[in-house]
Amino acid sequence: MQLTHLDERDRPKMVDVSDKNTTSRIAVASGLITMSQEAFDAVNNQTAKKGPVLQTAVIAAIMGTKKTSDMIPMCHPLNLSGVHCDIDELPELPGFRLSVTAKLSGQTGVEMEALTGTSIGLLTIYDMLKAIDKSMVIGPIQLEKKSGGKSGDYLRN
């Protein structure tokens, strides 16, 4: 099997997508963060000392999505047409589910962008609450669905 990120002399390379068709591509990723009741209450009561946790996490998730190619070596810089972030309260954990939807019309997919944005958003929540709870747990982070491209659609069961 030939690895796509190695050239004929086994040197790293970024895949050439110039011959691929431009298609509409969408990816959705999600992740969880669990925390103490005290940290969860600080978010919901907006008493975290670093400011509005969830709003900041949404901005960070969008920024992370846009900067993916700066952090993941073989990712192409993409002209994203849209990034959307949702955060759901999960009081039974307690914690939050953060999801990122990334969209574009292009020659390569946006799965890595959605996964990176999700990771950065969750790390931001951790950063803003670590003074209250250092034992927070992040994960799993996963691709939920994707559409477009040669490999077709994917939907997590």
Side-chain angles (χ1 to χ4, degrees):
M1 180 174 137
Q2 175 115 14
L3 299 176
T4 59
H5 286 88
L6 295 176
D7 69 12
E8 61 283 346
R9 292 174 34 201
D10 288 335
R11 294 179 301 195
K13 71 170 186 172
M14 191 163 79
V15 173
D16 183 354
V17 296
S18 58
D19 291 334
K20 291 175 86 177
N21 290 330
T22 297
T23 61
S24 176
R25 297 163 186 262
I26 301 170
V28 179
S30 73
L32 296 175
I33 185 166
T34 58
M35 61 191 62
S36 68
Q37 189 66 51
E38 181 183 6
F40 185 77
D41 291 344
V43 174
N44 288 326
N45 297 331
Q46 297 189 17
T47 57
K49 291 185 179 181
K50 288 191 174 185
V53 175
L54 300 183
Q55 294 90 327
T56 305
V58 168
I59 293 167
I62 293 168
M63 290 176 67
T65 303
K66 291 166 52 176
K67 293 288 192 176
T68 298
S69 66
D70 292 341
M71 296 179 278
I72 310 292
M74 301 304 174
C75 284
H76 293 81
L78 300 179
N79 188 16
L80 296 167
S81 58
V83 178
H84 182 78
C85 179
D86 281 316
I87 301 178
D88 299 314
E89 281 185 30
L90 303 172
E92 66 277 9
L93 292 179
F96 299 90
R97 174 180 293 112
L98 185 143
S99 63
V100 171
T101 302
K103 297 179 182 182
L104 64 67
S105 182
Q107 296 167 296
T108 189
V110 289
E111 298 92 339
M112 291 305 300
E113 286 70 18
L115 288 161
T116 300
T118 299
S119 300
I120 297 298
L122 292 168
L123 286 167
T124 299
I125 293 171
Y126 185 96
D127 177 55
M128 295 188 75
L129 296 172
K130 68 186 178 214
I132 299 169
D133 180 10
K134 289 178 181 39
S135 68
M136 290 177 280
V137 176
I138 295 173
I141 297 168
Q142 59 197 26
L143 182 66
E144 296 294 343
K145 62 183 176 179
K146 75 131 204 125
S147 63
K150 187 170 79 172
S151 66
D153 295 349
Y154 168 80
L155 178 62
R156 180 171 297 283
N157 293 325

